[in-house]
Amino acid sequence: MSIYAKVEKGPAIEVFALTQAFKDDSNQNKVNLSVGAYRTDSGAPWVLPVVRKTEIKIASDESVNHEYLPVTGLESFTSAATELVLGADSIAIKENRAFGVQTISGTGALRVAAEFLHTQLNRNVVFYSNPTWENHHKIFADTGFTSLHSYRYWDQSKRQLDFKGMLADLDQAPPGAVIILHACAHNPTGIDPTQEQWKEIADLMEHKKLFPLFDSAYQGFASGDPDRDAWAVRYFVSRGFELLTCQSFAKNFGLYCERAGNLTVVQQHASTKPAVHSQLTLIIRGMYSNPPAYGARIVSTVLNTPELRQEWMDCIKLMSSRIRQMRALLRDKLVALGTPGNWDHIVNQIGMFSYTGLNENQVRYLIKEYHIYLLKTGRINMCGLNTGNIEYVAKAINASVTAGSNVSCPCDNKL
Ligand code: KET
């Protein structure tokens, strides 16, 4: 008997299984609203023009080679990324209390952060929002965190933030617990706390000595302005918190497969940097030794060249405004069709996703009857909508709401 025979097959990863099911579907009306990736109005992936231009520039630069990067990555990238999230005038940067290390995109930043918190700071307790990006649990559980909890976040009946519930649950967290906060454009709900609410969250976390870990995967996607979207992180820093921020450049640079990420450390004093930096270096050395250069070179070149940086800001504005247009169109069409319920949450939510409120049966109905692929939680990637398919999707949602909850459909359990 094979020594592998006892290995049990694990469950499918929903978001990628849906994308595969979409690819395999031969129906010509099919729509993919699952994975969080930007699409143009013709439904195609988008290489940002500024990224294409920079790729060509780098490819034709004879001085660029393929030597190993340092373990903690490309310095010009990590400093630009750190500045992007903390702000050019950040006091923590000026006082040399903040630095970044390059990671394998946002997921890698979270994994390195979790490893550091667990092995160096002896943290075992983590709290994430309910709902959250489903990988948060797995990353911290795989790292060895033994006490994993969710805090209330989404009020399904009102389709808004359950702020009271959130504070009440955070109030129960033991001192030192790691609290994962979405820096902006919360995934999957599209609802962020207001500035006043962030202040209350900070008050409570300071009082209870909780440790903030910001997941920043959508900077620029909430408002179209990366500075505005970093408000919460910068506010916590201004309050004197020590914290970690995990940045992804997958979405805001469209560099999904290039795995450009940054883990920013904010400390109380510059003096802890050498030790913290050395331990992060050793963690990365043991995991994958050093990061890939391609995506980091692109991000670094763009952020460090004023004209290119401006072009990138224009791309961010364009992407976020197309999403807003799709929100308004979808809401208007659902209302015009007389779809039961209130659909204002679609325009009130921000970022890449809308948490539609559709239930699992309705989701199955959309997949089975209309070949529209979305997560079973009812989350849709707004970027999958365009002027060519929005009518079809609105009609399908209308049908699923009026019929879908009562229809039992023999759906593929794998989805
Ligand atoms: N944080 C959040 C909140 C997030 O939504 C993602 C990706 C990541 C981190 C990781 O991004 P990375 O590609 O490692 O830089 N979310 C999309 C893709 C996925 O599930 O992996 C998604 O939710 O569709």
Side-chain angles (χ1 to χ4, degrees):
M1 190 164 117
S2 163
I3 55 172
Y4 304 120
K6 286 201 177 117
V7 178
E8 284 174 26
K9 190 168 187 295
I13 298 164
E14 188 191 16
V15 77
F16 297 129
L18 283 167
T19 299
Q20 192 54 50
F22 167 80
K23 281 187 184 151
D24 296 342
D25 190 334
S26 58
N27 188 285
Q28 57 172 10
N29 292 322
K30 65 180 179 175
V31 181
N32 186 7
L33 303 181
S34 63
V35 71
Y38 185 78
R39 295 285 176 266
T40 62
D41 193 51
S42 45
W46 196 41
V47 180
L48 276 54
V50 66
V51 164
R52 181 67 88 208
K53 196 192 233 179
T54 307
E55 285 183 286
I56 293 167
K57 187 173 145 181
I58 294 171
S60 54
D61 182 345
E62 297 278 347
S63 71
V64 173
N65 58 42
H66 303 291
E67 293 293 292
Y68 289 121
L69 287 183
V71 173
T72 51
L74 190 67
E75 164 59 28
S76 60
F77 164 79
T78 57
S79 55
T82 300
E83 191 189 295
L84 184 71
V85 70
L86 298 185
D89 56 355
S90 166
I91 181 87
I93 296 177
K94 282 198 184 111
E95 293 176 357
N96 201 23
R97 295 191 286 112
F99 68 94
V101 296
Q102 191 184 328
T103 54
I104 310 283
S105 213
T107 307
L110 284 157
R111 186 64 169 83
V112 171
E115 197 70 29
F116 175 77
L117 290 164
H118 188 57
T119 59
Q120 294 299 316
L121 305 183
N122 298 318
R123 306 294 155 125
N124 281 309
V125 186
V126 63
F127 280 67
Y128 42 76
S129 60
N130 179 19
T132 192
W133 180 49
E134 107 289 345
N135 213 14
H136 282 151
H137 177 92
K138 181 160 175 51
I139 290 168
F140 280 78
D142 285 0
T143 304
F145 275 64
T146 47
S147 183
L148 300 100
H149 308 267
S150 63
Y151 56 83
R152 275 171 280 172
Y153 195 82
W154 171 252
D155 182 335
Q156 172 69 16
S157 60
K158 297 194 182 120
R159 292 187 186 168
Q160 65 185 33
L161 179 65
D162 179 2
F163 188 57
K164 267 198 179 147
M166 177 181 185
L167 288 186
D169 289 348
L170 292 182
D171 199 44
Q172 296 303 310
V178 176
I179 312 295
I180 301 179
L181 300 163
H182 295 229
C184 70
H186 182 271
N187 176 12
T189 66
I191 300 285
D192 290 342
T194 62
Q195 293 190 357
E196 285 314 305
Q197 288 170 332
W198 276 120
K199 288 177 186 170
E200 283 188 59
I201 295 167
D203 288 343
L204 187 147
M205 289 186 57
E206 189 179 66
H207 176 65
K208 300 284 293 193
K209 297 190 171 33
L210 304 176
F211 184 86
L213 184 147
F214 281 97
D215 182 349
S216 180
Y218 299 94
Q219 191 178 352
F221 268 92
S223 68
D225 173 0
D227 285 317
R228 255 175 83 183
D229 285 1
W231 187 89
V233 177
R234 294 177 191 180
Y235 175 73
F236 272 65
V237 173
S238 77
R239 291 271 302 249
F241 278 90
E242 296 195 295
L243 54 80
L244 297 177
T245 298
C246 300
Q247 272 170 287
S248 166
F249 292 93
K251 327 277 170 160
N252 54 11
F253 269 78
L255 287 170
Y256 306 92
C257 71
E258 303 303 346
R259 316 309 289 146
N262 183 58
L263 169 61
T264 290
V265 182
V266 177
Q267 319 149 99
Q268 216 163 56
H269 307 292
S271 59
T272 50
K273 179 177 169 181
V276 174
H277 191 271
S278 73
Q279 291 301 339
L280 288 169
T281 305
L282 292 171
I283 287 169
I284 294 169
R285 172 66 172 158
M287 278 187 174
Y288 51 87
S289 197
N290 42 59
Y294 190 74
R297 278 183 182 141
I298 295 170
V299 174
S300 165
T301 307
V302 172
L303 291 181
N304 289 312
T305 315
E307 316 83 78
L308 298 180
R309 190 180 175 114
Q310 187 52 51
E311 283 180 41
W312 171 68
M313 301 274 271
D314 295 341
C315 292
I316 295 275
K317 278 209 183 70
L318 192 144
M319 291 193 280
S320 61
S321 69
R322 197 184 88 68
I323 295 171
R324 271 195 295 278
Q325 274 169 13
M326 288 304 119
R327 289 187 183 281
L329 260 181
L330 182 62
R331 193 267 315 261
D332 292 352
K333 286 194 186 296
L334 288 172
V335 171
L337 288 165
T339 315
N342 183 322
W343 298 94
D344 287 344
H345 56 284
I346 293 182
V347 287
N348 295 335
Q349 294 166 347
I350 49 172
M352 218 175 214
F353 303 111
S354 179
Y355 211 48
T356 58
L358 294 172
N359 65 34
E360 239 178 284
N361 273 343
Q362 293 163 340
V363 169
R364 288 204 191 111
Y365 185 79
L366 285 171
I367 296 174
K368 195 77 190 161
E369 302 296 324
Y370 288 88
H371 308 264
I372 297 172
Y373 293 85
L374 67 159
L375 300 190
K376 61 175 182 281
T377 57
R379 182 193 90 169
I380 59 173
N381 171 22
M382 291 306 300
C383 310
L385 295 173
N386 56 58
T387 44
N389 66 19
I390 199 152
E391 185 82 31
Y392 174 75
V393 171
K395 282 186 176 151
I397 292 178
N398 178 56
S400 81
V401 172
T402 44
S405 15
N406 306 320
V407 172
S408 66
C409 82
C411 289
D412 187 346
N413 286 331
K414 276 185 297 193
L415 297 177

